[in-house]
Amino acid sequence: MTYLPQVIGARYVSGFVVFTRFDDGTEKHIDVSQWFKGPVFEPLKERKFFRKFFIEGGTLAWPNGVDIAPEALYASRDSTKKTHDHARQRTGQKPPAAKRNR
C-alpha cells in the first residue's frame, strides 16, 4: 500500500503561502497560487477569502468547496528558499557565500 499524506496542521504565512504540517512530520511553506487555474479558484485570489482555509479530509479546503489533493501539497516545492531569495532581491542583499570544506 502506498502512503497517502495527511495535512494535520496549517497556518497562514503571507500572500498565498501556507505553512503546512503533514502526519509524517514533514513541514513546508506552500505557495497555493500555483493551483490557481480555472474559475473555481477565482475566489481564492482574494486574500480575505483565501485566509478562510481549514483542514478537512486531511487536506486544505475552502468554504466554496475547493480543496487541494494532499499528495499534490506533499509533492510541492517548499517555498521558503524562494521567499527568502525574493526578499533579498527586493532589498538588494546578496545570497550568503557558499562555505568551503577545508
Side-chain angles (χ1 to χ4, degrees):
M1 185 175 229
T2 60
Y3 170 68
L4 180 62
Q6 299 289 301
V7 175
I8 61 168
R11 174 177 43 83
Y12 177 76
V13 177
S14 66
F16 299 107
V17 176
V18 177
F19 173 78
T20 309
R21 181 177 304 116
F22 295 89
D23 62 342
D24 70 349
T26 300
E27 297 178 335
K28 57 174 75 177
H29 292 78
I30 301 172
D31 183 350
V32 178
S33 67
Q34 63 188 299
W35 289 288
F36 286 4
K37 297 175 182 87
V40 71
F41 288 96
E42 285 300 315
L44 274 66
K45 292 178 181 179
E46 181 187 325
R47 288 204 186 132
K48 187 174 180 178
F49 185 82
F50 177 80
R51 293 180 68 160
K52 294 182 179 185
F53 66 85
F54 53 92
I55 298 171
E56 181 175 74
T59 195
L60 296 180
W62 284 265
N64 67 340
V66 168
D67 64 20
I68 310 286
E71 59 272 21
L73 293 168
Y74 191 82
S76 69
R77 173 182 239 157
D78 187 320
S79 66
T80 305
K81 181 180 181 335
K82 184 174 147 184
T83 301
H84 292 308
D85 288 346
H86 284 270
R88 273 193 216 98
Q89 288 173 355
R90 284 194 306 272
T91 62
Q93 294 177 349
K94 294 184 180 175
K99 294 181 181 178
R100 290 188 200 180
N101 291 334
R102 295 183 179 186

